Amino acid sequence: PEPTVVPSEHFNTVLYTGTGSNQSITGVGFAPDFVWGKNRSTSGSQHVVNDSVRGTAIALYTDLTNAEASQHLRISSLDSDGFSVGTHGSLNGSGNSIVAWNWKANGAGVSNTNGTITSTVSANADAGFSIVSYTGSSGPDTIGHGLSKAPEMIIVKDRSSAQEWLVYHASNTAAPETDYLRLDTTAATADNTFWNDTAPTSSVFSVGTSGATNQDGGTFIAYCF
């Protein structure tokens, strides 16, 4: 039978060579909503992530705890068949080999009121991927993720302050909702209440009172798979 979801229509990897000058990267096959790029040639170059919910000129770095920052010289736009990069060496160093992983969500996002906190969600339920933006409270809280099933992996970053990248994964331990991993270090699995010791459901995921996933007035981004 014809497959319901063709993977290449929702996720694609592209390799390209940097020029040092503004250039458009094509061949993705769709308009990406989440781009994760890395310079393969330069030691110490950051992993750069951009998405359609936060805005394309605002970068985060998965190997750093930094808050988001305006970075027009990295990814300058998300386009109909790829994205455009500026002159910064991290994603466009002259002669450098660069990789970009691209996911399709659903544009700039819509309001989701399923949780105790109203979130903005760009969801591709068919492919099982969503981008979720929310503003924290004093917690604990639940956040709507826009998918029809409970996500098996959730990556959360505080956009407004220097905090670690927190990862929930359903296969992490026997009780994954009590534990976490980090993108920005090599640390092993550890125990904390980042997920309020509550497994995600088909409509929401849970966050506790820690500043890394929930703090009053802080802005957060989550990538759910």
Side-chain angles (χ1 to χ4, degrees):
E2 187 72 19
T4 303
V5 174
V6 179
S8 62
E9 295 177 356
H10 303 270
F11 169 81
N12 199 6
T13 305
V14 294
L15 303 176
Y16 64 96
T17 301
T19 64
S21 301
N22 295 336
Q23 65 166 325
S24 295
I25 309 304
T26 59
V28 172
F30 53 84
D33 291 293
F34 177 41
V35 177
W36 182 331
K38 178 69 173 69
N39 189 317
R40 304 160 61 202
S41 300
T42 304
S43 176
S45 179
Q46 275 73 51
H47 288 255
V48 183
V49 295
N50 288 80
D51 62 74
S52 59
V53 174
R54 294 185 300 115
T56 56
I58 304 173
L60 283 167
Y61 311 98
T62 62
D63 51 325
L64 301 175
T65 60
N66 297 28
E68 66 183 5
S70 178
Q71 296 290 349
H72 296 271
L73 299 181
R74 289 173 171 83
I75 295 178
S76 55
S77 66
L78 300 177
D79 308 326
S80 61
D81 185 31
F83 56 94
S84 296
V85 291
T87 58
H88 197 279
S90 60
L91 293 183
N92 198 20
S94 181
N96 292 169
S97 298
I98 301 162
V99 61
W101 300 281
N102 304 269
W103 285 262
K104 181 180 179 181
N106 194 21
V110 297
S111 178
N112 183 300
T113 58
N114 288 336
T116 58
I117 290 177
T118 297
S119 55
T120 298
V121 177
S122 177
N124 182 346
D126 288 341
F129 171 66
S130 68
I131 304 167
V132 181
S133 175
Y134 64 96
T135 300
S137 77
S138 55
D141 288 290
T142 55
I143 315 295
H145 54 65
L147 302 176
S148 58
K149 297 181 180 179
E152 296 182 351
M153 183 169 71
I154 304 169
I155 302 171
V156 175
K157 179 67 176 75
D158 184 344
R159 303 163 52 189
S160 51
S161 64
Q163 295 279 1
E164 59 264 48
W165 286 81
L166 274 299
V167 180
Y168 163 89
H169 198 287
S171 298
N172 186 17
T173 64
E177 64 274 10
T178 69
D179 302 315
Y180 72 97
L181 288 164
R182 290 178 60 175
L183 288 185
D184 54 286
T185 75
T186 59
T189 298
D191 180 85
N192 202 290
T193 57
F194 291 127
W195 318 116
N196 199 36
D197 290 349
T198 304
T201 72
S202 60
S203 59
V204 300
F205 65 91
S206 297
V207 291
T209 58
S210 170
T213 57
N214 192 20
Q215 62 175 318
D216 195 17
T219 54
F220 296 83
I221 196 73
Y223 304 113
C224 302
F225 300 82

